[in-house]
mmCIF file of all heavy atoms in Angstrom:
data_model
loop_
_atom_site.group_PDB
_atom_site.id
_atom_site.type_symbol
_atom_site.label_atom_id
_atom_site.label_comp_id
_atom_site.label_asym_id
_atom_site.label_seq_id
_atom_site.Cartn_x
_atom_site.Cartn_y
_atom_site.Cartn_z
ATOM 1 N N ASP M 143 318.330 81.419 121.509
ATOM 2 C CA ASP M 143 319.549 80.853 120.912
ATOM 3 C C ASP M 143 319.257 79.499 120.280
ATOM 4 O O ASP M 143 319.688 79.210 119.158
ATOM 5 C CB ASP M 143 320.643 80.672 121.972
ATOM 6 C CG ASP M 143 321.185 81.977 122.516
ATOM 7 O OD1 ASP M 143 321.086 83.001 121.826
ATOM 8 O OD2 ASP M 143 321.704 81.951 123.652
ATOM 9 N N GLY M 144 318.544 78.652 121.033
ATOM 10 C CA GLY M 144 318.239 77.314 120.545
ATOM 11 C C GLY M 144 317.423 77.336 119.271
ATOM 12 O O GLY M 144 317.685 76.562 118.325
ATOM 13 N N ILE M 145 316.436 78.221 119.197
ATOM 14 C CA ILE M 145 315.596 78.332 118.001
ATOM 15 C C ILE M 145 316.422 78.775 116.803
ATOM 16 O O ILE M 145 316.283 78.246 115.692
ATOM 17 C CB ILE M 145 314.428 79.301 118.275
ATOM 18 C CG1 ILE M 145 313.483 78.696 119.321
ATOM 19 C CG2 ILE M 145 313.671 79.612 116.991
ATOM 20 C CD1 ILE M 145 312.457 79.663 119.866
ATOM 21 N N LYS M 146 317.332 79.737 117.019
ATOM 22 C CA LYS M 146 318.192 80.204 115.931
ATOM 23 C C LYS M 146 319.106 79.086 115.433
ATOM 24 O O LYS M 146 319.310 78.923 114.222
ATOM 25 C CB LYS M 146 319.023 81.396 116.398
ATOM 26 C CG LYS M 146 318.215 82.665 116.632
ATOM 27 C CD LYS M 146 319.103 83.776 117.199
ATOM 28 C CE LYS M 146 318.286 85.018 117.510
ATOM 29 N NZ LYS M 146 319.130 86.082 118.142
ATOM 30 N N ILE M 147 319.670 78.328 116.358
ATOM 31 C CA ILE M 147 320.549 77.220 115.958
ATOM 32 C C ILE M 147 319.769 76.191 115.159
ATOM 33 O O ILE M 147 320.218 75.704 114.116
ATOM 34 C CB ILE M 147 321.203 76.576 117.197
ATOM 35 C CG1 ILE M 147 322.183 77.555 117.859
ATOM 36 C CG2 ILE M 147 321.937 75.286 116.811
ATOM 37 C CD1 ILE M 147 322.697 77.091 119.210
ATOM 38 N N GLN M 148 318.581 75.840 115.643
ATOM 39 C CA GLN M 148 317.772 74.845 114.933
ATOM 40 C C GLN M 148 317.429 75.309 113.523
ATOM 41 O O GLN M 148 317.530 74.531 112.562
ATOM 42 C CB GLN M 148 316.495 74.554 115.712
ATOM 43 C CG GLN M 148 315.657 73.435 115.077
ATOM 44 C CD GLN M 148 314.454 73.090 115.914
ATOM 45 O OE1 GLN M 148 313.744 73.960 116.381
ATOM 46 N NE2 GLN M 148 314.222 71.803 116.112
ATOM 47 N N ASN M 149 317.044 76.558 113.372
ATOM 48 C CA ASN M 149 316.723 77.081 112.041
ATOM 49 C C ASN M 149 317.912 76.997 111.108
ATOM 50 O O ASN M 149 317.767 76.698 109.912
ATOM 51 C CB ASN M 149 316.241 78.535 112.149
ATOM 52 C CG ASN M 149 314.884 78.651 112.806
ATOM 53 O OD1 ASN M 149 314.115 77.681 112.851
ATOM 54 N ND2 ASN M 149 314.571 79.830 113.324
ATOM 55 N N ASN M 150 319.115 77.249 111.635
ATOM 56 C CA ASN M 150 320.303 77.184 110.793
ATOM 57 C C ASN M 150 320.683 75.747 110.470
ATOM 58 O O ASN M 150 321.127 75.440 109.358
ATOM 59 C CB ASN M 150 321.474 77.907 111.466
ATOM 60 C CG ASN M 150 322.424 78.529 110.461
ATOM 61 O OD1 ASN M 150 322.122 79.560 109.876
ATOM 62 N ND2 ASN M 150 323.569 77.891 110.238
ATOM 63 N N LEU M 151 320.500 74.836 111.445
ATOM 64 C CA LEU M 151 320.841 73.432 111.203
ATOM 65 C C LEU M 151 319.968 72.812 110.119
ATOM 66 O O LEU M 151 320.396 71.889 109.414
ATOM 67 C CB LEU M 151 320.692 72.622 112.503
ATOM 68 C CG LEU M 151 321.743 72.870 113.579
ATOM 69 C CD1 LEU M 151 321.421 72.063 114.832
ATOM 70 C CD2 LEU M 151 323.150 72.518 113.086
ATOM 71 N N GLU M 152 318.750 73.322 109.974
ATOM 72 C CA GLU M 152 317.841 72.760 108.979
ATOM 73 C C GLU M 152 318.350 72.939 107.548
ATOM 74 O O GLU M 152 317.938 72.212 106.634
ATOM 75 C CB GLU M 152 316.451 73.391 109.129
ATOM 76 C CG GLU M 152 315.719 72.899 110.385
ATOM 77 C CD GLU M 152 314.409 73.619 110.628
ATOM 78 O OE1 GLU M 152 314.118 74.594 109.882
ATOM 79 O OE2 GLU M 152 313.680 73.223 111.554
ATOM 80 N N LYS M 153 319.281 73.865 107.355
ATOM 81 C CA LYS M 153 319.842 74.090 106.018
ATOM 82 C C LYS M 153 321.350 73.835 105.977
ATOM 83 O O LYS M 153 322.035 74.279 105.055
ATOM 84 C CB LYS M 153 319.521 75.514 105.561
ATOM 85 C CG LYS M 153 320.003 76.595 106.522
ATOM 86 C CD LYS M 153 319.535 77.984 106.096
ATOM 87 C CE LYS M 153 319.998 79.036 107.101
ATOM 88 N NZ LYS M 153 319.514 80.397 106.762
ATOM 89 N N SER M 154 321.862 73.111 106.996
ATOM 90 C CA SER M 154 323.308 72.889 107.117
ATOM 91 C C SER M 154 323.710 71.478 106.728
ATOM 92 O O SER M 154 322.967 70.514 106.956
ATOM 93 C CB SER M 154 323.769 73.157 108.558
ATOM 94 O OG SER M 154 323.630 74.516 108.884
ATOM 95 N N LYS M 155 324.908 71.372 106.197
ATOM 96 C CA LYS M 155 325.529 70.083 105.920
ATOM 97 C C LYS M 155 326.748 69.840 106.800
ATOM 98 O O LYS M 155 327.144 68.687 107.005
ATOM 99 C CB LYS M 155 325.947 69.997 104.448
ATOM 100 C CG LYS M 155 324.779 70.025 103.469
ATOM 101 C CD LYS M 155 325.273 69.906 102.037
ATOM 102 C CE LYS M 155 324.108 69.903 101.054
ATOM 103 N NZ LYS M 155 324.571 69.808 99.631
ATOM 104 N N ASN M 156 327.345 70.928 107.320
ATOM 105 C CA ASN M 156 328.560 70.808 108.129
ATOM 106 C C ASN M 156 328.430 71.642 109.397
ATOM 107 O O ASN M 156 328.269 72.859 109.344
ATOM 108 C CB ASN M 156 329.777 71.296 107.336
ATOM 109 C CG ASN M 156 330.033 70.471 106.095
ATOM 110 O OD1 ASN M 156 330.449 69.324 106.187
ATOM 111 N ND2 ASN M 156 329.771 71.052 104.941
ATOM 112 N N LEU M 157 328.509 70.960 110.526
ATOM 113 C CA LEU M 157 328.435 71.598 111.845
ATOM 114 C C LEU M 157 329.780 71.476 112.535
ATOM 115 O O LEU M 157 330.366 70.384 112.573
ATOM 116 C CB LEU M 157 327.354 70.933 112.695
ATOM 117 C CG LEU M 157 327.352 71.231 114.208
ATOM 118 C CD1 LEU M 157 327.032 72.703 114.475
ATOM 119 C CD2 LEU M 157 326.357 70.316 114.932
ATOM 120 N N VAL M 158 330.258 72.579 113.089
ATOM 121 C CA VAL M 158 331.445 72.565 113.948
ATOM 122 C C VAL M 158 331.037 73.025 115.338
ATOM 123 O O VAL M 158 330.436 74.091 115.492
ATOM 124 C CB VAL M 158 332.571 73.456 113.397
ATOM 125 C CG1 VAL M 158 333.668 73.657 114.445
ATOM 126 C CG2 VAL M 158 333.171 72.834 112.144
ATOM 127 N N VAL M 159 331.351 72.213 116.335
ATOM 128 C CA VAL M 159 331.128 72.572 117.730
ATOM 129 C C VAL M 159 332.484 72.803 118.367
ATOM 130 O O VAL M 159 333.365 71.927 118.304
ATOM 131 C CB VAL M 159 330.358 71.473 118.488
ATOM 132 C CG1 VAL M 159 330.126 71.893 119.940
ATOM 133 C CG2 VAL M 159 329.030 71.167 117.797
ATOM 134 N N ILE M 160 332.669 73.956 118.972
ATOM 135 C CA ILE M 160 333.934 74.298 119.628
ATOM 136 C C ILE M 160 333.741 74.194 121.131
ATOM 137 O O ILE M 160 332.971 74.953 121.726
ATOM 138 C CB ILE M 160 334.384 75.719 119.231
ATOM 139 C CG1 ILE M 160 334.602 75.794 117.715
ATOM 140 C CG2 ILE M 160 335.661 76.104 119.976
ATOM 141 C CD1 ILE M 160 334.869 77.203 117.201
ATOM 142 N N GLY M 161 334.418 73.234 121.751
ATOM 143 C CA GLY M 161 334.306 72.992 123.182
ATOM 144 C C GLY M 161 333.580 71.691 123.473
ATOM 145 O O GLY M 161 332.439 71.503 123.043
ATOM 146 N N ALA M 162 334.240 70.791 124.209
ATOM 147 C CA ALA M 162 333.685 69.466 124.469
ATOM 148 C C ALA M 162 333.364 69.273 125.943
ATOM 149 O O ALA M 162 333.691 68.260 126.554
ATOM 150 C CB ALA M 162 334.651 68.373 123.990
ATOM 151 N N GLY M 163 332.712 70.289 126.536
ATOM 152 C CA GLY M 163 332.099 70.099 127.838
ATOM 153 C C GLY M 163 330.735 69.458 127.660
ATOM 154 O O GLY M 163 330.395 68.956 126.583
ATOM 155 N N GLY M 164 329.926 69.497 128.717
ATOM 156 C CA GLY M 164 328.649 68.804 128.675
ATOM 157 C C GLY M 164 327.739 69.262 127.546
ATOM 158 O O GLY M 164 327.193 68.442 126.791
ATOM 159 N N ILE M 165 327.559 70.582 127.388
ATOM 160 C CA ILE M 165 326.683 71.097 126.343
ATOM 161 C C ILE M 165 327.274 70.846 124.963
ATOM 162 O O ILE M 165 326.567 70.452 124.020
ATOM 163 C CB ILE M 165 326.416 72.602 126.539
ATOM 164 C CG1 ILE M 165 325.733 72.848 127.894
ATOM 165 C CG2 ILE M 165 325.554 73.149 125.407
ATOM 166 C CD1 ILE M 165 324.387 72.190 128.038
ATOM 167 N N GLY M 166 328.570 71.039 124.824
ATOM 168 C CA GLY M 166 329.213 70.845 123.528
ATOM 169 C C GLY M 166 329.050 69.438 122.989
ATOM 170 O O GLY M 166 328.705 69.248 121.809
ATOM 171 N N VAL M 167 329.276 68.433 123.829
ATOM 172 C CA VAL M 167 329.155 67.056 123.336
ATOM 173 C C VAL M 167 327.697 66.711 123.040
ATOM 174 O O VAL M 167 327.397 65.965 122.093
ATOM 175 C CB VAL M 167 329.786 66.041 124.309
ATOM 176 C CG1 VAL M 167 331.287 66.193 124.342
ATOM 177 C CG2 VAL M 167 329.212 66.151 125.707
ATOM 178 N N GLU M 168 326.764 67.266 123.831
ATOM 179 C CA GLU M 168 325.352 67.011 123.542
ATOM 180 C C GLU M 168 324.943 67.621 122.205
ATOM 181 O O GLU M 168 324.180 67.009 121.439
ATOM 182 C CB GLU M 168 324.472 67.576 124.665
ATOM 183 C CG GLU M 168 324.541 66.764 125.956
ATOM 184 C CD GLU M 168 323.757 67.379 127.102
ATOM 185 O OE1 GLU M 168 323.340 68.560 126.982
ATOM 186 O OE2 GLU M 168 323.567 66.687 128.113
ATOM 187 N N ILE M 169 325.453 68.805 121.884
ATOM 188 C CA ILE M 169 325.142 69.432 120.599
ATOM 189 C C ILE M 169 325.770 68.645 119.451
ATOM 190 O O ILE M 169 325.160 68.465 118.380
ATOM 191 C CB ILE M 169 325.614 70.895 120.579
ATOM 192 C CG1 ILE M 169 324.824 71.716 121.598
ATOM 193 C CG2 ILE M 169 325.449 71.505 119.185
ATOM 194 C CD1 ILE M 169 325.353 73.124 121.800
ATOM 195 N N ALA M 170 326.988 68.158 119.658
ATOM 196 C CA ALA M 170 327.643 67.355 118.620
ATOM 197 C C ALA M 170 326.841 66.084 118.323
ATOM 198 O O ALA M 170 326.656 65.712 117.151
ATOM 199 C CB ALA M 170 329.065 67.011 119.049
ATOM 200 N N VAL M 171 326.368 65.431 119.356
ATOM 201 C CA VAL M 171 325.528 64.243 119.155
ATOM 202 C C VAL M 171 324.247 64.618 118.419
ATOM 203 O O VAL M 171 323.780 63.897 117.530
ATOM 204 C CB VAL M 171 325.206 63.575 120.507
ATOM 205 C CG1 VAL M 171 324.137 62.503 120.338
ATOM 206 C CG2 VAL M 171 326.470 62.965 121.112
ATOM 207 N N ALA M 172 323.685 65.776 118.765
ATOM 208 C CA ALA M 172 322.481 66.246 118.069
ATOM 209 C C ALA M 172 322.749 66.414 116.577
ATOM 210 O O ALA M 172 321.900 66.081 115.736
ATOM 211 C CB ALA M 172 322.014 67.564 118.676
ATOM 212 N N GLY M 173 323.941 66.922 116.242
ATOM 213 C CA GLY M 173 324.277 67.120 114.837
ATOM 214 C C GLY M 173 324.262 65.824 114.044
ATOM 215 O O GLY M 173 323.654 65.740 112.978
ATOM 216 N N VAL M 174 324.936 64.794 114.564
ATOM 217 C CA VAL M 174 324.986 63.538 113.811
ATOM 218 C C VAL M 174 323.616 62.856 113.791
ATOM 219 O O VAL M 174 323.279 62.166 112.819
ATOM 220 C CB VAL M 174 326.068 62.582 114.376
ATOM 221 C CG1 VAL M 174 327.451 63.172 114.173
ATOM 222 C CG2 VAL M 174 325.831 62.249 115.835
ATOM 223 N N LYS M 175 322.814 63.042 114.822
ATOM 224 C CA LYS M 175 321.465 62.469 114.807
ATOM 225 C C LYS M 175 320.608 63.108 113.723
ATOM 226 O O LYS M 175 319.659 62.488 113.214
ATOM 227 C CB LYS M 175 320.799 62.620 116.169
ATOM 228 C CG LYS M 175 321.379 61.733 117.250
ATOM 229 C CD LYS M 175 320.619 61.806 118.550
ATOM 230 C CE LYS M 175 319.328 61.033 118.509
ATOM 231 N NZ LYS M 175 318.706 60.886 119.845
ATOM 232 N N ARG M 176 320.919 64.336 113.370
ATOM 233 C CA ARG M 176 320.206 65.020 112.294
ATOM 234 C C ARG M 176 320.797 64.715 110.921
ATOM 235 O O ARG M 176 320.334 65.237 109.898
ATOM 236 C CB ARG M 176 320.243 66.537 112.520
ATOM 237 C CG ARG M 176 319.546 67.000 113.785
ATOM 238 C CD ARG M 176 319.722 68.490 113.991
ATOM 239 N NE ARG M 176 318.949 69.242 113.015
ATOM 240 C CZ ARG M 176 317.816 69.909 113.292
ATOM 241 N NH1 ARG M 176 317.348 69.899 114.534
ATOM 242 N NH2 ARG M 176 317.177 70.564 112.359
ATOM 243 N N GLY M 177 321.844 63.884 110.870
ATOM 244 C CA GLY M 177 322.467 63.530 109.608
ATOM 245 C C GLY M 177 323.439 64.570 109.090
ATOM 246 O O GLY M 177 323.766 64.591 107.896
ATOM 247 N N ILE M 178 323.915 65.435 109.974
ATOM 248 C CA ILE M 178 324.844 66.500 109.592
ATOM 249 C C ILE M 178 326.278 66.066 109.892
ATOM 250 O O ILE M 178 326.557 65.515 110.959
ATOM 251 C CB ILE M 178 324.522 67.800 110.351
ATOM 252 C CG1 ILE M 178 323.093 68.268 110.041
ATOM 253 C CG2 ILE M 178 325.527 68.890 110.030
ATOM 254 C CD1 ILE M 178 322.625 69.424 110.908
ATOM 255 N N SER M 179 327.188 66.320 108.964
ATOM 256 C CA SER M 179 328.602 66.065 109.214
ATOM 257 C C SER M 179 329.063 66.973 110.354
ATOM 258 O O SER M 179 328.999 68.193 110.248
ATOM 259 C CB SER M 179 329.416 66.337 107.952
ATOM 260 O OG SER M 179 330.797 66.181 108.211
#
Side-chain angles (χ1 to χ4, degrees):
D143 292 336
I145 293 169
K146 291 176 183 177
I147 293 170
Q148 185 176 46
N149 290 339
N150 211 76
L151 288 177
E152 288 174 354
K153 56 186 178 183
S154 293
K155 295 181 179 179
N156 298 289
L157 166 66
V158 168
V159 181
I160 299 172
I165 300 298
V167 291
E168 287 176 348
I169 295 171
V171 170
V174 294
K175 289 185 76 169
R176 297 176 71 106
I178 300 171
S179 176

